[in-house]
Amino acid sequence: MRRTEFKRGESWIVQSISAERAQKDYVCPGCTVMIAPGIPHVVAWHEEGLFGAERAVSDRRHWHTHCWRIH
Ligand SMILES: [Zn+2]
């Protein structure tokens, strides 16, 4: 479910969110369009943030699967 990806020289943890687990509205940073509840998507964050794990968690961003792929 959880994997590590390298993008633009940075290491990210990426986790897939299933339709059942997507229960809130999120704004996708890729296209700035709302990800509605019930839409499967991905959440990504820096593996080891410069400011520690706690900051890394608060930096989590929810992306459309497609937007993350082309980001
Ligand atoms: Zn998007």
Side-chain angles (χ1 to χ4, degrees):
M1 216 48 182
R2 203 177 264 201
R3 60 192 183 275
T4 302
E5 290 187 17
F6 285 95
K7 265 187 199 294
R8 302 180 180 194
E10 295 182 312
S11 178
W12 299 81
I13 297 173
V14 184
Q15 187 169 351
S16 296
I17 305 293
S18 67
E20 298 76 45
R21 291 190 55 214
Q23 295 175 347
K24 282 202 252 174
D25 288 336
Y26 300 101
V27 175
C28 170
C31 64
T32 70
V33 171
M34 193 76 83
I35 304 172
I39 304 288
H41 62 275
V42 299
V43 57
W45 65 96
H46 283 107
E47 187 164 47
E48 193 66 42
L50 206 55
F51 305 99
E54 201 171 305
R55 169 67 183 273
V57 166
S58 72
D59 279 347
R60 284 176 187 220
R61 292 293 178 269
H62 292 252
W63 296 74
H64 294 113
T65 304
H66 171 76
C67 294
W68 174 254
R69 198 178 301 132
I70 64 172
H71 166 59

